[in-house]
Amino acid sequence: QSALTQPASVSGSPGQSITISCTGTSSDVGSYNLVSWYQQHPGKAPKLMIYEVSKRPSGVSNRFSGSKSGNTASLTISGLQAEDEADYYCCSYAGSSTPYVFGTGTKVTVL
Amino acid sequence: EVQLVESGGGLVKPGGSLRLSCAASGFTFSSYSMNWVRQAPGKGLEWVSSISSSSSYIYYADSVKGRFTISRDNAKNSLYLQMNSLRAEDTAVYYCARGSLELQSWGQGTLVTVSS
């Protein structure tokens, strides 16, 4: 199972919106509405930001939203803030024997 | 508050073994699937292994199959990862994480370094 493809980096100015793409295949992203997104600050553990494509856990800002079309999922961060600067990873279910396939990761920089 | 605390990491020689532990608190451990995810230095996240709540279902990434064994003790609220025949490429921070479809909560990780 290959890693999902994400852009290496995305940047934006405070207040802007950015979108991170996550491209998989018909065996993972395209087959299940089970895409999740994780935020990781340097030296810290990942944190769940989005699950089941577009749902937000309690406590996660509504500036974070997710969507999916075909084999590509997306995470949008609106009203970009300095604290959003971090690495972001998508993850998809890919069947019972491979429950998690992660993306390659995207570094978000707030200019 | 959900807490996951990993321990057992350290420096080990290639071919050696190590056993990681993850102590869980703040939730009903026996009701949740648990997982190990690792991150090599400067690299991305890689799923390693998953175990269902009653240990009925266990899965491994191809990269560790046959060398690593996941287990849990619900009476002790603990998750384990027995790592044998370790290789340099197993060097990583190992996280335990709760969840079956998404990884809801993560520990702080424990560093495993495989080097001679």
Side-chain angles (χ1 to χ4, degrees):
Chain A
Q1 192 74 40
S2 299
L4 309 177
T5 301
Q6 298 179 232
S9 62
V10 173
S11 62
S13 299
Q16 286 187 330
S17 293
I18 61 168
T19 297
I20 303 168
S21 61
C22 168
T23 302
T25 69
S26 57
S27 297
D28 38 62
V29 176
S31 286
Y32 308 97
N33 288 324
L34 293 172
V35 175
S36 50
W37 289 88
Y38 302 86
Q39 176 192 65
Q40 186 180 34
H41 287 108
K44 301 294 186 183
K47 174 187 175 183
L48 177 66
M49 303 301 284
I50 295 287
Y51 67 101
E52 292 179 14
V53 175
S54 60
K55 297 178 180 178
R56 272 181 289 107
S58 174
V60 172
S61 171
N62 59 8
R63 298 186 297 103
F64 291 85
S65 61
S67 62
K68 191 189 88 166
S69 178
N71 295 339
T72 299
S74 298
L75 173 71
T76 297
I77 308 174
S78 57
L80 200 60
Q81 298 180 1
E83 68 208 47
D84 300 331
E85 188 161 290
D87 292 326
Y88 291 83
Y89 294 91
C90 63
C91 182
S92 176
Y93 182 77
S96 60
S97 61
T98 311
Y100 305 101
V101 178
F102 283 99
T104 50
T106 297
K107 181 175 181 58
V108 168
T109 300
V110 180
L111 301 172
Chain B
E1 178 194 3
V2 173
Q3 277 206 317
L4 298 168
V5 180
E6 302 93 337
S7 60
L11 175 63
V12 61
K13 289 181 168 52
S17 298
L18 214 54
R19 188 195 197 207
L20 305 183
S21 299
C22 172
S25 61
F27 65 101
T28 305
F29 181 73
S30 59
S31 297
Y32 289 87
S33 293
M34 296 296 294
N35 311 271
W36 288 99
V37 176
R38 68 184 180 184
Q39 185 170 35
K43 303 297 184 182
L45 301 171
E46 179 189 15
W47 168 73
V48 173
S49 182
S50 299
I51 185 168
S52 62
S53 57
S54 62
S55 304
S56 298
Y57 301 97
I58 288 175
Y59 305 105
Y60 298 98
D62 288 344
S63 57
V64 306
K65 203 171 292 183
R67 301 187 299 122
F68 289 12
T69 302
I70 191 172
S71 63
R72 64 190 296 162
D73 185 334
N74 287 342
K76 295 182 178 179
N77 290 342
S78 294
L79 175 72
Y80 306 102
L81 186 67
Q82 177 67 43
M83 305 187 295
N84 298 331
S85 302
L86 282 162
R87 306 166 180 167
E89 54 264 37
D90 295 319
T91 294
V93 173
Y94 285 73
Y95 295 100
C96 70
R98 184 188 86 170
S100 55
L101 296 177
E102 66 277 345
L103 299 168
Q104 304 148 347
S105 302
W106 299 62
Q108 85 290 347
T110 187
L111 176 62
V112 172
T113 303
V114 184
S115 174
S116 54

